């Protein structure tokens, strides 16, 4: 299940925060993630001003993470519910004195996008009972045409970070509508799924999730897949560790199923998921603003990687001040490659049906 953001009240089941990069990951031809020509020769807007669009559960969780981490000097928040937005801005501003740094949090307008380094879009509508995924796509694409259009009409030339679901499709829509280079449009992709997977594996092997290097890739949703072939725990290949457990194969399947379906249980209990995706979005923003050249599992445009092109989908990508420096193509085994191809096919069908 994917995590959803709604316009005004943002409901989300969704992405994650992966702080570490597997140093053993290689690109085709044996290149490491640090090699290669930057994907974006254009220089986006500098500075560290962030505009958040959509002050629902996910947007506010992201805003709180930004304030806590002191990632910017100015955070402007835009939402159709201006009174509620004012309340969030006041509450977040009152947290600043204990945050250890100074920053401004304001009620924003689209004019704030003109000099923003990053726009994070959490706005959209959640899926209604009985509504098809295609119906949801159609409604959110229409909303995005309006939002992205207004952002660009006010001269934005920074990095777009998309969180609204279905995030892969809406990242593609944002790229097309904005006219920005693809490097400047990043979806949250499988950042949350990967965080959930690493957390569960860390618990299973009794090590910190920081010592777990394993990605979830593909659609942020039901067709996503774990990449076990390149995973490792504390430097030991994941599959080798599983061989030492009598029920390793069954256990890893159960762990991934719970990872993929975690949103269902959380939403049933609380009504939405927000903290995990909020931290995941903050992690992506930190990678951009601090020019980190770190590989994170995001939704990025494929241009031949994995045999696919003209498609936004969850994959590790090196993120820096330019946005997506380049996509990291993992060396998938035969089964993983088939699963990834199926995930891409599912996304393409929905995109085709939605005339994207």
């Amino acid at each position: 299940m994917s995590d959803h953001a709604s316009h005004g009240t943002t409901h989300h089941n969704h992405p994650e925060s992966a702080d570490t990069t597997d140093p053993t990951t290689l690109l085709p031809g044996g290149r490491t993630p640090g090699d290669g020509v930057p994907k974006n020769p254009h220089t986006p807007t500098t500075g560290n001003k962030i505009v958040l669009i959509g002050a629902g559960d996910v947007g506010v969780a992201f805003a709180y993470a930004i304030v806590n981490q002191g990632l910017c000097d100015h955070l402007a928040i835009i939402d159709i519910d201006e009174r509620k937005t004012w309340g969030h801005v006041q509450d977040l501003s009152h947290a600043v004195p204990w945050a250890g740094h100074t920053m401004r949090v304001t009620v924003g307008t689209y004019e704030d996008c003109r000099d923003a380094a990053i726009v994070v879009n959490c706005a959209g509508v959640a899926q209604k009972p009985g509504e098809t995924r295609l119906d949801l796509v159609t409604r959110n694409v229409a909303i995005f045409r309006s939002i992205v259009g207004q952002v660009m009409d006010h001269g934005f030339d920074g990095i777009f970070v998309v969180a609204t679901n279905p995030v892969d499709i809406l990242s593609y829509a944002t790229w097309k509508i904005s006219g920005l280079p693809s490097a400047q449009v990043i979806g949250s992709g499988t950042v949350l799924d990967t965080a959930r997977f690493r957390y569960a594996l860390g618990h299973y092997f009794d090590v910190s999730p920081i010592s777990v290097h394993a990605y979830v890739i593909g659609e942020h949703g039901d067709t996503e897949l774990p990449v076990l072939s390149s995973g490792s725990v504390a430097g030991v290949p994941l599959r080798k560790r599983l061989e030492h457990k009598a029920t390793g194969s069954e256990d890893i399947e159960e762990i991934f199923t719970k990872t993929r379906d975690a949103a269902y249980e959380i939403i049933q209990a609380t009504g939405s998921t927000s903290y995990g995706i909020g931290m995941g979005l903050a992690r992506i923003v930190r990678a951009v603003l601090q020019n980190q050249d770190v590989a994170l599992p995001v939704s990025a445009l494929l241009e031949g990687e994995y045999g696919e092109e003209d498609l936004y989908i969850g994959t590790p990508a090196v993120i820096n001040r330019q946005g997506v420096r380049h996509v990291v193509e993992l060396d998938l085994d035969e089964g993983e490659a088939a699963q990834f191809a199926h995930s891409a096919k599912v996304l393409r069908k929905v995109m085709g049906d939605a005339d994207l």
Side-chain angles (χ1 to χ4, degrees), residues 4-343:
H4 297 281
S6 70
H7 201 283
T9 301
T10 309
H11 299 293
H12 229 97
N13 321 357
H14 180 328
E16 99 206 348
S17 97
D19 256 64
T20 52
T21 307
D22 185 347
T24 63
T25 299
L26 296 179
L27 301 177
R31 293 181 293 119
T32 67
D35 296 331
V37 178
K39 187 176 184 179
N40 188 13
H42 172 67
T43 300
T45 301
T46 56
N48 66 6
K49 180 179 179 181
I50 299 172
V51 173
L52 165 65
I53 303 177
D57 292 350
V58 172
V60 173
F62 164 71
Y64 185 58
I66 291 298
V67 171
N68 258 316
Q69 297 177 36
L71 292 181
C72 68
D73 296 326
H74 183 188
L75 171 64
I77 304 176
I78 301 172
D79 193 276
I80 57 173
D81 189 336
E82 295 183 0
R83 178 64 179 170
K84 188 174 182 180
T85 303
W86 177 87
H88 285 312
V89 165
Q90 293 300 303
D91 203 9
L92 288 164
S93 296
H94 297 161
V96 170
W98 305 126
H101 44 261
T102 299
M103 66 180 291
R104 294 171 57 218
V105 184
T106 64
V107 175
T109 68
Y110 283 101
E111 181 60 34
D112 280 298
C113 299
R114 189 175 305 278
D115 62 345
I118 298 177
V119 167
V120 177
N121 193 353
C122 295
V125 292
Q127 196 163 2
K128 296 178 179 178
E131 184 178 38
T132 67
R133 188 161 178 251
L134 179 57
D135 290 337
L136 177 64
V137 170
T138 301
R139 287 201 296 149
N140 272 335
V141 167
I143 290 170
F144 266 49
R145 288 191 189 282
S146 172
I147 291 173
V148 176
Q150 290 182 78
V151 170
M152 299 310 297
D153 286 346
H154 285 82
F156 178 66
D157 190 24
I159 308 298
F160 244 123
V161 178
V162 181
T164 310
N165 281 308
V167 68
D168 303 293
I169 292 169
L170 292 176
S171 298
Y172 183 90
T174 298
W175 171 52
K176 287 295 187 181
I177 296 165
S178 69
L180 290 169
S182 61
Q184 288 176 234
V185 179
I186 308 170
S188 53
T190 52
V191 72
L192 178 58
D193 314 277
T194 296
R196 287 171 173 161
F197 191 48
R198 292 182 181 185
Y199 172 80
L201 287 173
H203 180 74
Y204 179 72
F205 289 110
D206 196 24
V207 299
S208 167
I210 297 172
S211 296
V212 177
H213 298 278
Y215 290 107
V216 175
I217 65 172
E219 171 206 15
H220 173 54
D222 293 340
T223 65
E224 65 188 31
L225 62 135
V227 184
L228 305 183
S229 60
S230 63
S232 66
V233 179
V236 179
L238 179 55
R239 284 181 169 163
K240 185 173 183 179
R241 277 189 173 269
L242 291 170
E243 288 174 1
H244 295 292
K245 292 184 175 286
T247 59
S249 296
E250 294 83 358
D251 292 345
I252 196 67
E253 186 174 338
E254 181 181 357
I255 287 170
F256 175 67
T257 299
K258 287 183 176 180
T259 294
R260 184 192 61 205
D261 299 338
Y264 289 109
E265 294 186 43
I266 296 171
I267 289 174
Q268 191 173 39
T270 68
S272 69
T273 69
S274 56
Y275 300 121
I277 182 55
M279 285 290 285
L281 291 170
R283 182 67 189 95
I284 294 168
V285 165
R286 180 151 45 100
V288 172
L289 294 180
Q290 296 180 1
N291 196 32
Q292 289 186 337
D293 282 316
V294 63
L296 295 173
V298 298
S299 187
L301 182 72
L302 298 188
E303 298 176 291
E305 298 89 354
Y306 304 100
E308 303 285 348
E309 58 184 20
D310 196 37
L311 178 74
Y312 267 78
I313 195 169
T315 175
V318 176
I319 308 297
N320 65 12
R321 201 61 184 76
Q322 305 296 307
V324 176
R325 175 174 170 176
H326 59 254
V327 168
V328 176
E329 183 177 358
L330 298 175
D331 186 13
L332 306 180
D333 66 24
E334 188 175 343
E336 292 164 347
Q339 285 181 273
F340 187 86
H342 172 67
S343 190

